Amino acid sequence: MRALRHIWLLTVTAVCSIPERLGTSSVIVISITTVTAVLVAMLALGQGLQELSRSGVRADQAVVVSAGAQSPLQSSLPKTIVESIADKPGIKRNAEGKPEMFGAIFMYINAINHDNRRGSVSMYFVTPGFWDVNRDVRIIEGRNFQPGLREIIVSDVIRKRFRDMDVGNEVRMRDTTWKIVGAYQSSRSLQNSVIGDAATTLSAFPQSTYNSVSIIFETPAAYATFKKAVTDDPTLEANVMTQLQSSESIIKPRLKLLDFISYFLGSLMGLGAACGALASLYASVDARTHEIGTLRAIGFSTFPVVFSVLAEGILLAIPAALLGAGIVWYLFNGHVVVAQQITFPMAVTPHLALISIVWSLGIALVGGILPAIRAARLPVALALKAS
């Protein structure tokens, strides 16, 4: 109990004396605020990308890919795949008795945005069942594409980002010309695409194959039955994943890259902030030399002295971290950005604020441990002589 009382008294004393060392204390707060703000801003990109992959995900939807494929982008299914799995158990049927499912082909073309920079546009060619599954796709200008014709519709997000991607323009793809006949709005998961007819694509590019088939089930519980029926069929050589697994498999490589950049920059800046905290806490120890010597002389042990120095850094770090996260939330939460050729809003969440606190505590501990040890090792006689 005595040791805890000493820790409490020394910590209170150190904190109460912070206003007397406002300049050195401000260095810690400003440096940690800057570091956590940059870290949270970078992580908010990854968080926004992750939330985009989860938007519109349904528990009763699954995606069929080729056996061994890690994502639909790496998948290659035969042209007969849609008919081959149409009679598998568990698939929901519409009012006409047709299965609610559609095949999809992914392609990319190069385009120039309004800042005269090159980028990629995702081309998404689908079978007619697409409209039963994606009822939120709404034509806002022009009309829908007609099957059998080289026509496409462009998302409102894409046409605002890129030049020559508006209704009436033509798009070149593998030496063929496709006309944009409409613009659409949809959930965030489809806002980065241009949509066209799969049958026309297979006719124009005979070497093409389906990348995936999306299925709607009668109930989410039908997933296991359907998956077993597909994987047990030796003629298909296909696998089944949930819609969430499919979306995350596409986003995962991009998310890993953003997280690596975030933590790499955060580590470099954190090292600089730790050096700033080190210098500031050394100055704090120097300013309190006589005080520390007096406390040691009247019976205070080494550990409370060490803890009080560390506590000063920690108590400055926590509000600095919250301030940094708060600034980023105010400035950037919901701000629409383009990263990895995908348009999405940044997302500053409580989880990121918690990461910023943990990061700032690490900086404070790294920067405070050496000054704390120095304070604990100060010879009492020398400390008492300090003016």
Side-chain angles (χ1 to χ4, degrees):
M1 291 297 295
R2 182 183 179 186
L4 291 176
R5 186 168 179 271
H6 284 182
I7 290 172
W8 169 254
L9 290 173
L10 278 179
T11 302
V12 171
T13 301
V15 173
C16 290
S17 63
I18 287 177
E20 300 173 8
R21 305 183 307 280
L22 194 58
T24 56
S25 299
S26 298
V27 172
I28 299 176
V29 173
I30 293 172
S31 59
I32 292 180
T33 297
T34 303
V35 172
T36 54
V38 172
L39 178 64
V40 170
M42 293 297 297
L43 290 176
L45 292 173
Q47 187 69 31
L49 194 59
Q50 192 170 44
E51 291 190 2
L52 173 67
S53 70
R54 295 174 178 175
S55 64
V57 169
R58 298 173 53 171
D60 62 347
Q61 185 168 347
V63 178
V64 179
V65 297
S66 58
Q70 298 299 313
S71 78
L73 297 180
Q74 302 168 352
S75 172
S76 178
L77 294 166
K79 299 177 182 179
T80 58
I81 186 66
V82 177
E83 294 79 11
S84 299
I85 62 175
D87 60 347
K88 298 299 181 186
I91 301 177
K92 185 179 179 181
R93 298 186 176 274
N94 61 19
E96 299 175 355
K98 296 180 180 179
E100 293 194 7
M101 56 185 289
F102 69 93
I105 303 169
F106 300 100
M107 292 185 182
Y108 292 91
I109 61 169
N110 294 322
I112 306 296
N113 64 22
H114 290 291
D115 296 325
N116 291 321
R117 296 180 180 178
R118 288 190 174 275
S120 296
V121 175
S122 171
M123 310 292 286
Y124 192 53
F125 298 100
V126 298
T127 58
F130 171 85
W131 304 104
D132 286 331
V133 177
N134 297 277
R135 301 179 190 278
D136 64 324
V137 177
R138 180 169 55 90
I139 302 296
I140 58 173
E141 185 178 335
R143 59 174 175 82
N144 198 0
F145 61 84
Q146 294 183 18
L149 299 179
R150 293 178 182 176
E151 297 179 341
I152 51 179
I153 57 175
V154 61
S155 75
D156 194 42
V157 171
I158 291 295
R159 69 172 181 167
K160 289 178 179 177
R161 274 186 56 200
F162 292 97
R163 295 164 49 186
D164 302 322
M165 294 293 289
D166 210 340
V167 177
N169 292 133
E170 293 183 342
V171 174
R172 294 286 297 175
M173 184 173 61
R174 299 184 185 180
D175 298 324
T176 61
T177 301
W178 298 69
K179 186 174 182 179
I180 301 175
V181 296
Y184 72 89
Q185 286 182 341
S186 179
S187 65
R188 291 191 296 174
S189 59
L190 289 171
Q191 68 180 7
N192 289 283
S193 298
V194 173
I195 304 176
D197 179 52
T200 306
T201 304
L202 293 175
S203 175
F205 312 115
Q207 73 279 15
S208 298
T209 60
Y210 286 106
N211 292 96
S212 66
V213 180
S214 293
I215 308 292
I216 297 296
F217 298 122
E218 296 172 347
T219 65
Y223 171 78
T225 303
F226 175 81
K227 181 174 182 177
K228 186 176 186 306
V230 171
T231 55
D232 287 351
D233 189 337
T235 65
L236 294 180
E237 296 185 359
N239 192 19
V240 184
M241 57 177 66
T242 65
Q243 188 188 14
L244 179 60
Q245 290 172 335
S246 173
S247 298
E248 291 184 340
S249 69
I250 296 174
I251 295 296
K252 191 175 181 179
R254 297 176 171 90
L255 191 59
K256 283 185 176 180
L257 178 61
L258 287 176
D259 283 347
F260 171 78
I261 295 173
S262 301
Y263 285 113
F264 180 73
L265 289 178
S267 298
L268 291 180
M269 295 188 66
L271 182 61
C275 292
L278 181 71
S280 299
L281 291 174
Y282 264 129
S284 171
V285 170
D286 288 339
R288 297 175 57 207
T289 298
H290 186 77
E291 171 194 325
I292 292 172
T294 303
L295 294 170
R296 292 284 305 282
I298 63 177
F300 281 74
S301 61
T302 300
F303 182 72
V305 174
V306 171
F307 189 88
S308 68
V309 176
L310 291 176
E312 179 179 346
I314 290 172
L315 291 175
L316 289 171
I318 292 176
L322 293 175
L323 178 61
I327 291 173
V328 175
W329 176 83
Y330 179 77
L331 294 177
F332 299 114
N333 188 47
H335 180 69
V336 177
V337 297
V338 180
Q340 295 290 294
Q341 308 300 334
I342 300 176
T343 303
F344 59 92
M346 297 173 66
V348 182
T349 63
H351 172 68
L352 299 188
L354 181 60
I355 290 177
S356 73
I357 292 175
V358 173
W359 205 257
S360 67
L361 291 178
I363 293 172
L365 290 174
V366 171
I369 190 67
L370 291 179
I373 293 174
R374 181 177 184 274
R377 289 181 174 178
L378 278 174
V380 175
L382 182 63
L384 289 174
K385 289 180 181 180
S387 56

